[in-house]
Coordinates of all heavy atoms in Angstrom, one line a residue:
M1 N -86.9 -92.8 -167.0 CA -86.8 -94.1 -166.5 C -85.6 -94.2 -165.6 O -84.4 -94.0 -166.1 CB -86.7 -95.2 -167.5 CG -88.0 -95.2 -168.3 SD -88.0 -96.4 -169.8 CE -87.4 -97.9 -169.0
A2 N -85.7 -94.8 -164.4 CA -84.5 -95.0 -163.5 C -83.8 -96.2 -163.9 O -84.4 -97.2 -164.5 CB -85.0 -95.1 -162.1
K3 N -82.5 -96.3 -163.6 CA -81.8 -97.5 -163.9 C -82.2 -98.6 -162.9 O -82.4 -98.4 -161.7 CB -80.3 -97.2 -163.7 CG -79.8 -96.2 -164.7 CD -78.3 -96.0 -164.5 CE -77.6 -94.9 -165.4 NZ -76.2 -94.7 -165.0
K4 N -82.1 -99.9 -163.5 CA -82.4 -100.9 -162.6 C -80.9 -101.7 -162.4 O -80.1 -101.6 -163.3 CB -83.4 -101.8 -163.2 CG -84.8 -101.2 -163.3 CD -85.7 -102.2 -163.9 CE -87.0 -101.5 -163.9 NZ -88.0 -102.5 -164.6
G5 N -80.8 -102.4 -161.3 CA -79.6 -103.2 -161.1 C -78.6 -102.5 -160.3 O -78.9 -101.4 -159.7
K6 N -77.2 -102.8 -160.4 CA -76.2 -102.3 -159.7 C -75.8 -101.0 -160.3 O -76.1 -100.9 -161.5 CB -75.2 -103.1 -159.4 CG -74.2 -103.5 -160.5 CD -73.1 -104.3 -160.0 CE -72.0 -104.3 -161.2 NZ -70.8 -105.1 -160.8
E7 N -75.3 -100.1 -159.5 CA -74.8 -98.8 -160.0 C -73.6 -99.0 -161.0 O -72.8 -99.9 -160.8 CB -74.5 -97.9 -158.9 CG -75.5 -97.5 -158.1 CD -75.1 -96.7 -156.8 OE1 -73.8 -96.4 -156.7 OE2 -75.9 -96.4 -156.0
K8 N -73.6 -98.2 -162.0 CA -72.6 -98.2 -163.0 C -71.4 -97.5 -162.6 O -71.3 -96.4 -162.1 CB -73.3 -97.5 -164.3 CG -72.2 -97.7 -165.5 CD -72.9 -97.0 -166.7 CE -72.0 -97.1 -167.9 NZ -72.5 -96.3 -169.1
N9 N -70.2 -98.2 -162.8 CA -68.9 -97.6 -162.7 C -68.5 -97.2 -161.3 O -67.4 -96.6 -161.1 CB -68.7 -96.4 -163.6 CG -68.1 -96.7 -165.0 OD1 -67.6 -98.0 -165.2 ND2 -68.3 -96.0 -165.9
T10 N -69.2 -97.6 -160.3 CA -68.8 -97.1 -158.8 C -67.5 -97.8 -158.6 O -66.7 -97.2 -157.9 CB -69.8 -97.5 -157.9 OG1 -70.1 -98.8 -157.9 CG2 -71.2 -96.7 -158.1
K11 N -67.2 -99.0 -158.9 CA -66.1 -99.7 -158.4 C -64.8 -99.0 -159.1 O -63.8 -98.8 -158.5 CB -66.1 -101.2 -158.6 CG -67.0 -101.9 -157.7 CD -66.9 -103.5 -157.9 CE -68.0 -104.2 -157.0 NZ -67.8 -105.6 -157.3
N12 N -65.0 -98.8 -160.4 CA -63.8 -98.2 -161.1 C -63.6 -96.8 -160.8 O -62.4 -96.5 -160.7 CB -64.3 -98.3 -162.6 CG -64.2 -99.7 -163.3 OD1 -63.5 -100.5 -162.7 ND2 -64.8 -99.8 -164.5
K13 N -64.6 -96.0 -160.4 CA -64.5 -94.6 -160.0 C -63.8 -94.7 -158.7 O -62.8 -94.0 -158.4 CB -65.7 -94.0 -159.9 CG -66.3 -93.6 -161.2 CD -67.7 -92.8 -160.9 CE -68.2 -92.5 -162.4 NZ -69.5 -91.7 -162.2
A14 N -64.1 -95.7 -157.8 CA -63.4 -95.7 -156.5 C -62.0 -96.0 -156.7 O -61.2 -95.5 -156.0 CB -64.3 -96.6 -155.5
K15 N -61.7 -97.0 -157.4 CA -60.3 -97.5 -157.7 C -59.5 -96.4 -158.3 O -58.3 -96.1 -157.9 CB -60.4 -98.7 -158.6 CG -59.1 -99.4 -158.7 CD -59.3 -100.7 -159.6 CE -58.1 -101.5 -159.6 NZ -58.0 -102.6 -160.4
H16 N -60.0 -95.7 -159.2 CA -59.3 -94.7 -159.9 C -59.1 -93.5 -158.8 O -57.9 -92.9 -158.7 CB -60.1 -94.0 -161.0 CG -59.6 -93.0 -161.8 ND1 -58.4 -93.0 -162.6 CD2 -59.8 -91.5 -161.8 CE1 -58.1 -92.0 -163.1 NE2 -58.8 -91.0 -162.6
S17 N -60.1 -93.2 -158.0 CA -59.8 -92.1 -157.0 C -58.7 -92.5 -156.1 O -57.8 -91.8 -155.7 CB -61.1 -91.9 -156.3 OG -62.1 -91.3 -157.1
K18 N -58.7 -93.9 -155.6 CA -57.7 -94.3 -154.7 C -56.3 -94.2 -155.3 O -55.3 -93.7 -154.7 CB -58.0 -95.8 -154.3 CG -57.0 -96.4 -153.4 CD -57.4 -97.8 -153.2 CE -56.4 -98.6 -152.4 NZ -56.8 -100.0 -152.2
L19 N -56.2 -94.6 -156.7 CA -54.9 -94.6 -157.3 C -54.4 -93.1 -157.6 O -53.2 -92.9 -157.4 CB -55.0 -95.2 -158.7 CG -55.2 -96.8 -158.7 CD1 -55.4 -97.4 -159.9 CD2 -54.0 -97.5 -157.9
M20 N -55.4 -92.3 -157.8 CA -54.9 -90.9 -158.0 C -54.6 -90.1 -156.8 O -53.5 -89.5 -156.7 CB -56.0 -90.1 -158.7 CG -56.3 -90.6 -160.2 SD -55.0 -90.5 -161.3 CE -54.6 -88.7 -161.4
D21 N -55.3 -90.4 -155.6 CA -54.9 -90.1 -154.3 C -53.3 -90.5 -154.1 O -52.5 -89.8 -153.4 CB -55.8 -90.4 -153.2 CG -57.2 -89.6 -153.4 OD1 -57.2 -88.6 -154.1 OD2 -58.1 -90.2 -152.8
R22 N -53.2 -91.9 -154.3 CA -51.8 -92.4 -153.9 C -50.8 -91.6 -154.8 O -49.8 -91.4 -154.3 CB -51.8 -93.9 -154.3 CG -50.6 -94.6 -153.9 CD -50.6 -96.0 -154.3 NE -51.7 -96.9 -153.9 CZ -52.1 -98.1 -154.2 NH1 -51.4 -98.7 -155.0 NH2 -53.1 -98.6 -153.6
K23 N -51.0 -91.3 -156.1 CA -50.0 -90.7 -156.9 C -49.8 -89.2 -156.4 O -48.7 -88.8 -156.3 CB -50.7 -90.6 -158.3 CG -49.8 -89.9 -159.3 CD -50.4 -90.0 -160.7 CE -49.5 -89.2 -161.7 NZ -50.1 -89.0 -163.1
K24 N -50.9 -88.5 -156.0 CA -50.7 -87.2 -155.5 C -49.9 -87.2 -154.2 O -49.0 -86.4 -154.1 CB -52.1 -86.6 -155.4 CG -52.7 -86.2 -156.6 CD -54.0 -85.5 -156.4 CE -54.9 -85.2 -157.7 NZ -56.1 -84.6 -157.5
N25 N -50.1 -88.1 -153.4 CA -49.4 -88.2 -152.1 C -48.0 -88.5 -152.4 O -47.1 -87.9 -151.6 CB -50.1 -89.2 -151.1 CG -51.4 -88.8 -150.5 OD1 -51.6 -87.6 -150.5 ND2 -52.3 -89.8 -150.2
K26 N -47.7 -89.4 -153.2 CA -46.3 -89.7 -153.6 C -45.6 -88.5 -154.1 O -44.4 -88.2 -153.7 CB -46.2 -90.8 -154.6 CG -44.7 -91.2 -154.9 CD -44.9 -92.3 -155.9 CE -43.4 -92.8 -156.4 NZ -43.3 -93.7 -157.4
E27 N -46.3 -87.7 -155.0 CA -45.7 -86.4 -155.5 C -45.4 -85.5 -154.5 O -44.4 -84.7 -154.4 CB -46.6 -85.9 -156.7 CG -46.6 -86.6 -158.0 CD -47.6 -86.2 -158.9 OE1 -48.3 -85.2 -158.6 OE2 -47.7 -86.7 -160.1
R28 N -46.4 -85.3 -153.5 CA -46.1 -84.4 -152.4 C -44.9 -84.8 -151.6 O -44.1 -84.0 -151.3 CB -47.3 -84.3 -151.6 CG -48.5 -83.6 -152.1 CD -49.6 -83.4 -151.0 NE -50.8 -83.1 -151.6 CZ -51.9 -83.7 -151.7 NH1 -52.0 -85.0 -151.0 NH2 -53.1 -83.4 -152.4
S29 N -44.9 -86.1 -151.3 CA -43.7 -86.6 -150.5 C -42.4 -86.4 -151.1 O -41.4 -86.0 -150.6 CB -43.9 -88.0 -149.9 OG -43.9 -88.9 -151.0
D30 N -42.4 -86.7 -152.5 CA -41.2 -86.6 -153.3 C -40.8 -85.1 -153.3 O -39.5 -84.9 -153.2 CB -41.4 -87.0 -154.6 CG -41.4 -88.6 -154.6 OD1 -41.1 -89.2 -153.7 OD2 -41.8 -89.1 -155.8
K31 N -41.6 -84.2 -153.4 CA -41.4 -82.8 -153.6 C -40.7 -82.3 -152.1 O -39.8 -81.6 -152.1 CB -42.7 -81.9 -153.8 CG -42.5 -80.6 -154.0 CD -43.7 -79.8 -154.5 CE -43.5 -78.4 -154.7 NZ -44.8 -77.7 -155.1
A32 N -41.4 -82.7 -151.1 CA -40.8 -82.3 -149.7 C -39.4 -83.0 -149.5 O -38.6 -82.2 -149.1 CB -41.8 -82.9 -148.6
L33 N -39.3 -84.1 -150.0 CA -37.9 -84.8 -149.8 C -37.0 -83.9 -150.5 O -35.8 -83.7 -150.2 CB -38.1 -86.2 -150.2 CG -36.7 -87.0 -150.1 CD1 -36.3 -87.1 -148.6 CD2 -36.9 -88.4 -150.7
R34 N -37.2 -83.6 -151.9 CA -36.3 -82.9 -152.6 C -35.9 -81.7 -152.1 O -34.8 -81.1 -152.1 CB -37.1 -82.6 -154.1 CG -35.9 -82.4 -155.2 CD -36.8 -82.4 -156.6 NE -37.5 -83.6 -156.8 CZ -38.8 -83.7 -157.0 NH1 -39.5 -82.6 -157.1 NH2 -39.3 -84.9 -157.3
K35 N -37.0 -81.0 -151.5 CA -36.8 -79.6 -150.8 C -35.9 -79.8 -149.6 O -34.9 -78.9 -149.5 CB -38.0 -79.0 -150.3 CG -38.1 -77.7 -149.7 CD -39.5 -77.1 -149.5 CE -39.4 -75.7 -148.9 NZ -40.8 -75.2 -148.6
E36 N -36.0 -80.7 -148.9 CA -35.1 -81.0 -147.6 C -33.7 -81.2 -148.1 O -32.8 -80.8 -147.6 CB -35.6 -82.2 -146.9 CG -36.9 -81.9 -146.0 CD -37.5 -83.3 -145.4 OE1 -36.6 -84.2 -145.3 OE2 -38.5 -83.2 -145.0
R37 N -33.6 -82.0 -149.1 CA -32.1 -82.3 -149.7 C -31.5 -81.1 -150.2 O -30.4 -80.8 -149.9 CB -32.2 -83.4 -150.8 CG -32.6 -84.8 -150.3 CD -32.5 -85.8 -151.5 NE -32.8 -87.2 -151.0 CZ -33.1 -88.0 -151.8 NH1 -33.3 -87.9 -153.2 NH2 -33.3 -89.2 -151.4
L38 N -32.2 -80.2 -150.8 CA -31.7 -79.1 -151.4 C -31.4 -78.0 -150.2 O -30.2 -77.6 -150.2 CB -32.7 -78.2 -152.3 CG -32.3 -77.0 -152.9 CD1 -31.1 -77.3 -153.8 CD2 -33.5 -76.3 -153.7
Q39 N -32.2 -78.0 -149.2 CA -31.9 -77.2 -148.0 C -30.5 -77.7 -147.4 O -29.8 -76.8 -146.9 CB -33.0 -77.1 -147.1 CG -34.2 -76.4 -147.5 CD -35.3 -76.4 -146.5 OE1 -35.4 -77.2 -145.6 NE2 -36.3 -75.5 -146.7
A40 N -30.5 -79.0 -147.3 CA -29.2 -79.7 -146.7 C -27.9 -79.2 -147.4 O -27.0 -78.9 -146.9 CB -29.3 -81.0 -146.5
I41 N -28.1 -79.3 -148.7 CA -26.9 -78.9 -149.6 C -26.6 -77.5 -149.5 O -25.5 -77.2 -149.4 CB -27.3 -79.3 -151.2 CG1 -27.3 -80.8 -151.3 CG2 -26.2 -78.7 -152.1 CD1 -28.0 -81.2 -152.6
V42 N -27.6 -76.6 -149.4 CA -27.3 -75.3 -149.4 C -26.6 -74.9 -148.0 O -25.7 -74.1 -147.9 CB -28.5 -74.4 -149.5 CG1 -28.4 -73.0 -149.0 CG2 -29.2 -74.5 -150.9
K43 N -27.1 -75.5 -147.0 CA -26.5 -75.3 -145.7 C -25.1 -75.9 -145.5 O -24.3 -75.1 -145.0 CB -27.5 -76.1 -144.5 CG -27.0 -75.7 -143.1 CD -28.0 -76.3 -142.2 CE -27.9 -75.9 -140.8 NZ -26.7 -76.2 -140.0
K44 N -24.9 -77.0 -146.0 CA -23.6 -77.5 -146.0 C -22.6 -76.6 -147.0 O -21.4 -76.2 -146.5 CB -23.5 -78.9 -146.8 CG -22.1 -79.5 -146.7 CD -22.3 -80.9 -147.3 CE -20.9 -81.7 -147.3 NZ -21.1 -82.9 -148.0
S45 N -23.1 -76.0 -148.0 CA -22.2 -75.1 -148.8 C -21.9 -73.8 -148.1 O -20.9 -73.4 -148.0 CB -23.0 -74.8 -150.1 OG -22.4 -73.7 -150.8
Q46 N -22.9 -73.3 -147.3 CA -22.8 -72.2 -146.5 C -21.7 -72.3 -145.5 O -20.9 -71.5 -145.1 CB -24.0 -71.7 -146.0 CG -25.0 -71.0 -147.0 CD -26.4 -70.7 -146.6 OE1 -26.8 -71.2 -145.4 NE2 -27.2 -69.9 -147.3
D47 N -21.9 -73.5 -144.8 CA -20.9 -73.9 -143.8 C -19.5 -74.0 -144.2 O -18.5 -73.5 -143.6 CB -21.4 -75.2 -143.0 CG -22.6 -75.1 -142.2 OD1 -23.0 -73.9 -141.9 OD2 -23.2 -76.1 -141.9
Q48 N -19.3 -74.5 -145.2 CA -18.0 -74.6 -146.0 C -17.4 -73.3 -146.3 O -16.2 -73.0 -146.1 CB -18.1 -75.5 -147.2 CG -18.2 -77.0 -147.1 CD -18.2 -77.8 -148.2 OE1 -18.4 -77.2 -149.3 NE2 -18.2 -79.0 -148.1
Q49 N -18.3 -72.3 -146.7 CA -17.9 -71.0 -147.1 C -17.4 -70.4 -145.8 O -16.5 -69.4 -145.9 CB -19.0 -70.2 -147.9 CG -19.2 -70.6 -149.3 CD -20.2 -69.9 -150.0 OE1 -20.9 -69.2 -149.3 NE2 -20.5 -70.1 -151.3
I50 N -18.1 -70.4 -144.7 CA -17.8 -69.8 -143.6 C -16.5 -70.3 -143.1 O -15.6 -69.6 -142.5 CB -18.8 -69.8 -142.5 CG1 -20.2 -69.1 -142.9 CG2 -18.5 -69.6 -141.2 CD1 -21.4 -69.4 -142.2
N51 N -16.4 -71.6 -143.1 CA -15.0 -72.3 -142.5 C -13.8 -71.8 -143.4 O -12.8 -71.9 -142.7 CB -15.2 -73.9 -142.5 CG -16.3 -74.2 -141.4 OD1 -16.5 -73.5 -140.5 ND2 -16.7 -75.5 -141.6
T52 N -13.9 -71.6 -144.6 CA -12.9 -71.2 -145.5 C -12.4 -69.9 -145.2 O -11.2 -69.5 -145.6 CB -13.0 -71.5 -146.9 OG1 -14.2 -70.6 -147.4 CG2 -13.4 -72.9 -147.2
K53 N -13.1 -68.9 -144.8 CA -12.9 -67.6 -144.4 C -12.0 -67.4 -143.2 O -11.8 -68.1 -142.4 CB -14.0 -66.6 -144.3 CG -14.9 -66.5 -145.7 CD -16.0 -65.6 -145.5 CE -16.6 -65.4 -146.8 NZ -17.7 -64.5 -146.8

C-alpha cells in the first residue's frame, strides 16, 4: 500500500541537511584560517631567525 498525503519528514531532512552543510563549511573555513595563521607565525619566526644572524 502506497502512502497517502504529504511526504513524511522531507522538511526535517532538508533542514538537517542545510544545517549540517553549514556546520561542515564552517569547519572547513576555520581549518583554513588556522592553517593561514600558523603559516604566518612560522614565516615570522623564520624571518626573525634570519635577521638575528
Side-chain angles (χ1 to χ4, degrees):
M1 291 179 54
K3 293 182 184 176
K4 294 183 181 179
K6 74 175 193 179
E7 296 176 1
K8 182 179 178 185
N9 270 342
T10 54
K11 288 184 180 179
N12 287 339
K13 286 181 183 180
K15 188 174 183 181
H16 179 72
S17 296
K18 180 180 173 184
L19 292 173
M20 292 306 292
D21 288 343
R22 189 184 300 171
K23 180 180 176 183
K24 287 180 184 179
N25 288 336
K26 182 179 179 186
E27 288 175 355
R28 282 188 201 118
S29 65
D30 288 346
K31 187 175 181 181
L33 183 62
R34 205 174 298 124
K35 187 175 181 181
E36 288 176 15
R37 286 181 178 168
L38 181 63
Q39 287 176 347
I41 291 169
V42 169
K43 187 173 192 292
K44 185 176 178 182
S45 171
Q46 288 174 348
D47 289 345
Q48 286 179 348
Q49 286 179 354
I50 290 172
N51 289 339
T52 57
K53 289 183 179 179

